[in-house]
Amino acid sequence: MEEIFLLKLGELVLKGLNRHTFEDKLIANAQRRLRPWGRFRVYSKQSILYVEPLDENCNLDGAWEAMKRLFGVVGLSRALACPKDKDAMVEAACSYLGGKLSTARTFKVESKRADKSFPLTSIQLSQYVGGELDERYPHLQVDVHHPELTVYLEVRENAAYVHANPDPGAGGLPVGVNGRAVSLLSGGIDSPVASWMMAKRGLALDMVHFFSYPYTSEEAKEKVLTLAKLLTPWCGRLIVHVVPFTAIQEELRRKCPEELFTILMRRFMMRIAERVALRIKAGAIITGESLGQVASQTMDAMKLTGAACSLPVLRPVVGMDKEEIVTIARKINTFETSILPYEDCCTVFTPRHPRLHPLPGEVEAAEALLDIDALVDAAVEGIERIKIDP
C-alpha cells in the first residue's frame, strides 16, 4: 500500500461541541500548505488527521516539512498503510522500518486498536509482531521501558498503519480559529517571536511596519519583509502594511519634549495599528514588548501607549527575558535576519534621556500641540500593502 502522514491533534480534542469548527479550520489550513507539494487528500477520523498523497508526483518531503509547522498538530508520523492483518503488519514493519530495525539495538512494539472489531487485543498484537521481529532481527533486544526504537502499529477504520517514533508537531491551535489581529513588526528579535506565539494560539495575522525613509533605508524595509516571509511557513499568507512614519517623527521632534519622544511615537503607532485593525476587522493588536527591556517598556510607559487605542493589546513576550526570546527566534529561523545591522524607525531621533515614568498629564499636554487626527489620517492614507506568500 502507500505512505501516509498521521497527524495527532492537540487541544482540539478537548473542544466538545465546537470541535468540528477547529478540525475544519485545521483541514483547510493543511490543504493550503500542501498545495505547492502536489495533490493530497486530508481528512480527520478518531482524533487523527490523515494526509494521503493522491498521485506519485507528490513531493512527500516538502509536504512533511510543511506539516511540521502546522499549528494545531502535536505529533506527526510518516506511516505505511497496510491490510488489517497481523502478518501484513509484520511485513510492512520489515519493509518500511527495515533500516531502523537493522541499526537499532533495542526495541519494542506498541499497538493501538482503534477498530475494536480487529480480533487481537493491543497487547496480543504487540506480542505477535514483536516476536516475529525478534526472530528476523537477532541482534535486537526487547526493552519495554527505554527502547531505542519503538515500532507503532495502529489499527484504524480504513487500514492498519506502521510507523516509528513520531516527530513533535507545532502544537497550539489552527491559525484563524480565534480570529484576526494586527502585529507590529519591527526589524528586531522580539516582534517576530511575539507574532509567532499569537499565531500559535489561533490568530490569523496582518503585519504593520513603520518605515521612516530616508532615515531608515530600503534595506531595512527588505529585512522586515524577509522576516515576514520566514513567518509564513507557520502563519500562512501575510499582508505587511508598510506605514510612512517620517512626517510624524519629524513633527514630534519639532514640537514635543525630547524626553517624551519614544512614548509619543509609540502612542501614534498604536493609533495607526488600530485604524488598520478596524479596516481589516481584526480584534487585537500584538506587540513584542518585554517588561523593563527598554525605556518604552516600563509599566508606566506601556500603560500610556496602550491607552492610545481601544482594542486589546496582546504582549506575549512581556514576561520573558532576552535569552528565552532568542531561543524561540532561533527555533523559527528569524534570529539571523533580526540581527542584521539595519536601523528601524525606533532608532530615529532617540532621546538621550527618555522619560521612564511620565508625570500625570505631561504626555497629554505634549500631544495638545499636535494635530493628531491629521497626522494619523495621512499615515494611514499612505500605507503600502505587500502580500507575502509562503
Side-chain angles (χ1 to χ4, degrees), residues 354-372:
R355 184 68 59 82
L356 301 181
H357 307 286
L359 299 173
E362 67 176 337
V363 169
E364 293 81 358
E367 287 183 339
L369 304 173
L370 306 168
D371 189 341
I372 293 174

Side-chain angles (χ1 to χ4, degrees), residues 344-359:
D344 64 36
C345 72
C346 293
T347 63
V348 177
F349 312 138
T350 303
R352 290 164 292 179
H353 303 290
R355 184 68 59 82
L356 301 181
H357 307 286
L359 299 173

Side-chain angles (χ1 to χ4, degrees), residues 61-127:
D61 291 336
W64 177 251
E65 291 302 315
M67 293 299 95
K68 287 170 71 174
R69 292 166 174 80
L70 182 68
F71 288 131
V73 174
V74 295
L76 61 169
S77 304
R78 294 178 77 150
L80 186 68
C82 68
K84 292 189 283 186
D85 174 82
K86 61 182 182 180
D87 292 312
M89 285 183 249
V90 172
E91 295 305 322
C94 292
S95 63
Y96 191 59
L97 303 176
K100 291 182 171 67
L101 289 164
S102 297
T103 56
R105 291 166 296 179
T106 59
F107 86 113
K108 75 170 180 178
V109 177
E110 193 168 300
S111 302
K112 180 171 184 176
R113 187 176 63 118
D115 179 1
K116 301 305 180 186
S117 67
F118 186 73
L120 298 181
T121 67
S122 297
I123 293 175
Q124 290 170 335
L125 179 59
S126 295
Q127 289 173 338

Side-chain angles (χ1 to χ4, degrees), residues 12 14 29 103 133 168 214 375 381:
L12 279 65
L14 306 175
N29 291 348
T103 56
L133 294 177
L375 289 168
E381 198 62 34

Side-chain angles (χ1 to χ4, degrees), residues 44 72 93 168 183 212 281 328:
S44 175
S183 187
S212 297
K281 295 181 170 59
I328 296 176

